[in-house]
Amino acid sequence: MEIRPVSVGSVVIGDGEPVLIAGPCSIEDESMFRAVAEAALESGVSILRGGAFKPRTSPYSFQGLGSEGLDLIDAIRMEYGLPVVSEVMSIEQIEHAIDRVDMLQVGARSMHNFPLLSALGRTEIPILLKRGFMATIEEWLMAAEYIVKEGNDRVVLCERGIRTFETWTRNTLDISAVPLARMLGGYPVIVDPSHAAGRRDLIDPLTRASLAAGADGIMIEVHPDPDKALSDGGQSLSLEELKVFSEGLFGTGSS
Ligand code: PEP
Ligand code: MN
């Protein structure tokens, strides 16, 4: 099937040129998000990511800055001219986020939330639909259909690893899903090696494998001080590592 490219601001996902999406798992405060945005711009990142509403496993973990995080996204995207993707977990969060972000993410835990998918289908904003960690490729494509059926065909899929018996990685990157979802769904597919592996030392090799398999882009987590991150520090690159990574794999960056 022909891939239907999706525009996010001035960036096109699915036109044959892999895009790099990077940013913190959670936006923790203005200064850290600003530092990431600056490094992202210098490293040739095309879309910034940053969580405001966080689907944490434990209700006692940092839950994100919520609406305040969306205000920071709005300010930073204007200042740096970078489009931003951020997650919504409920229908009511859509209206808070829709004017302050450029792309809405549906997280792995929400892939089966059909009312949320349908509500996103009634908007015109690009959607990044992550694969549920227990979802088959068919279930994932059907989740995308819930969005498209309501009229919004601006859907990009994100393979972020599935749950298997393996414990040395957080999830198992399903590399077959990249060509299959592209061929069978016609959606651009990006890969998130940070959540797939759960460890930063696998981001580089999994990115190479994903690009070789035809991925339309890569989304990774970065943090100015990963060891102090409030979420997912172990799978985040530092800002210096981001520069090396993007130069090596995307041939971008200013230094
Ligand atoms: C995230 O992108 O930070 C996230 C929570 O991802 P996933 O839904 O894939 O676990
Ligand atoms: Mn994360």
Side-chain angles (χ1 to χ4, degrees):
M1 201 184 266
E2 282 279 294
I3 298 297
R4 288 179 298 278
V6 174
S7 300
V8 181
S10 58
V11 179
V12 182
I13 306 179
D15 68 352
E17 193 68 41
V19 299
L20 177 57
I21 305 175
C25 179
S26 310
I27 298 167
E28 297 171 5
D29 56 51
E30 182 173 348
S31 71
M32 72 84 78
F33 197 42
R34 186 177 291 285
V36 172
E38 259 160 41
L41 209 54
E42 282 173 28
S43 303
V45 168
S46 3
I47 300 176
L48 202 56
R49 63 154 284 155
F53 299 109
K54 293 305 303 177
R56 303 305 302 284
T57 299
S58 164
Y60 305 109
S61 302
F62 177 59
Q63 301 288 307
L65 296 180
S67 210
E68 193 193 323
L70 296 173
D71 288 338
L72 291 176
I73 289 175
D74 199 19
I76 293 289
R77 70 178 178 151
M78 298 294 177
E79 192 174 330
Y80 292 88
L82 278 171
V84 180
V85 55
S86 195
E87 174 163 356
V88 284
M89 297 188 291
S90 67
I91 293 175
E92 64 192 288
Q93 287 169 1
I94 298 175
E95 65 179 286
H96 294 295
I98 200 150
D99 295 326
R100 293 186 273 182
V101 309
D102 300 280
M103 182 180 218
L104 288 176
Q105 172 173 316
V106 177
R109 291 157 192 78
S110 300
M111 193 211 84
H112 297 284
N113 185 340
F114 300 129
L116 175 64
L117 299 174
S118 297
L120 290 168
R122 293 188 286 274
T123 72
E124 292 177 355
I125 193 166
I127 308 296
L128 184 62
L129 176 61
K130 292 191 125 188
R131 180 179 180 184
F133 42 72
M134 299 291 279
T136 64
I137 297 170
E138 186 177 7
E139 288 164 341
W140 187 24
L141 293 177
M142 283 300 141
E145 284 300 307
Y146 270 91
I147 301 169
V148 173
K149 178 172 179 279
E150 299 298 322
N152 185 359
D153 65 356
R154 303 176 75 191
V155 176
V156 175
L157 301 178
C158 177
E159 161 63 35
R160 45 78 74 209
I162 51 175
R163 188 167 277 182
T164 68
F165 52 80
E166 182 53 63
T167 55
W168 283 7
T169 50
R170 182 174 177 183
N171 294 282
T172 296
L173 178 62
D174 182 6
I175 204 79
S176 315
V178 177
L180 277 175
R182 292 180 88 250
M183 284 187 302
L184 299 173
Y187 303 104
V189 175
I190 68 155
V191 172
D192 172 350
S194 293
H195 289 89
R199 39 191 294 174
R200 74 175 67 91
D201 59 350
L202 292 188
I203 290 179
D204 185 285
L206 293 187
T207 294
R208 289 174 196 277
S210 304
L211 295 176
D216 297 284
I218 299 293
M219 178 161 82
I220 60 167
E221 291 184 330
V222 303
H223 192 283
D225 189 353
D227 292 340
K228 298 216 174 80
L230 297 182
S231 61
D232 289 351
Q235 63 192 40
S236 300
L237 295 185
S238 69
L239 303 183
E240 295 71 33
E241 287 165 340
L242 170 65
K243 263 183 213 175
V244 175
F245 171 85
S246 67
E247 273 165 34
L249 282 157
F250 289 82
T252 51
S254 59
S255 57

